[in-house]
Amino acid sequence: YKSAPFPIVGASEAPFTGVFDGNGHAISNFSYAAANGSDIAVFGLVSGTKATVSRLTLVTPDVQVSAGQHVAALVGRLEGGRVDQCAIDGGQVSAHSQVGGLIGTNNRGQVTACTSTAQVSGSEHTSELIGFDSP
């Protein structure tokens, strides 16, 4: 996606509250770069008890947000929703805080049968799978 920044699905003013079933498909080479920001990923903010992202793989994503928080490849911030059977296959994610390969911040969401092999870097709360997990 070269001509303009990727249109992130779900933000604080309009969270993703629906159901997305990737049906086992993969997205390759997702790329996003910015100097700062929050809730950055393919799905920026997933919120609500019925909100679900499932059965999707990202292959070699590259997400770089220098001063960002709640940053990941798939879901920037999960608020009470669900992520199921998703994977991050390689790639890299870099931001300031709450940085994860799969999910940047999980706040009372449910994550099941997910994996990540992304290289993750940041200053605070970083992890290959979920950067900051708040049960």
Side-chain angles (χ1 to χ4, degrees):
Y1 203 86
K2 303 276 184 204
S3 61
F6 179 84
I8 293 171
V9 179
S12 58
E13 59 277 354
F16 178 76
T17 59
V19 174
F20 179 87
D21 183 349
N23 198 25
H25 290 282
I27 296 172
S28 294
N29 303 312
F30 166 69
S31 180
Y32 191 95
N36 59 45
S38 62
D39 301 337
I40 305 292
V42 171
F43 292 88
L45 174 57
V46 175
S47 180
T49 57
K50 295 183 180 185
T52 303
V53 176
S54 65
R55 302 190 314 152
L56 180 64
T57 296
L58 297 182
V59 179
T60 60
D62 183 11
V63 181
Q64 309 291 321
V65 186
S66 304
Q69 64 179 2
H70 314 298
V71 176
L74 185 65
V75 176
R77 186 165 37 128
L78 180 63
E79 295 281 342
R82 182 174 179 198
V83 176
D84 182 48
Q85 299 176 52
C86 292
I88 308 302
D89 185 4
Q92 58 185 350
V93 180
S94 177
H96 174 68
S97 64
Q98 289 97 16
V99 190
L102 184 77
I103 299 170
T105 299
N106 175 26
N107 188 18
R108 291 184 288 253
Q110 183 179 14
V111 181
T112 54
C114 294
T115 61
S116 173
T117 59
Q119 293 182 357
V120 178
S121 61
S123 299
E124 301 174 357
H125 306 291
T126 63
S127 172
E128 196 173 88
L129 192 64
I130 300 171
F132 183 77
D133 198 6
S134 178

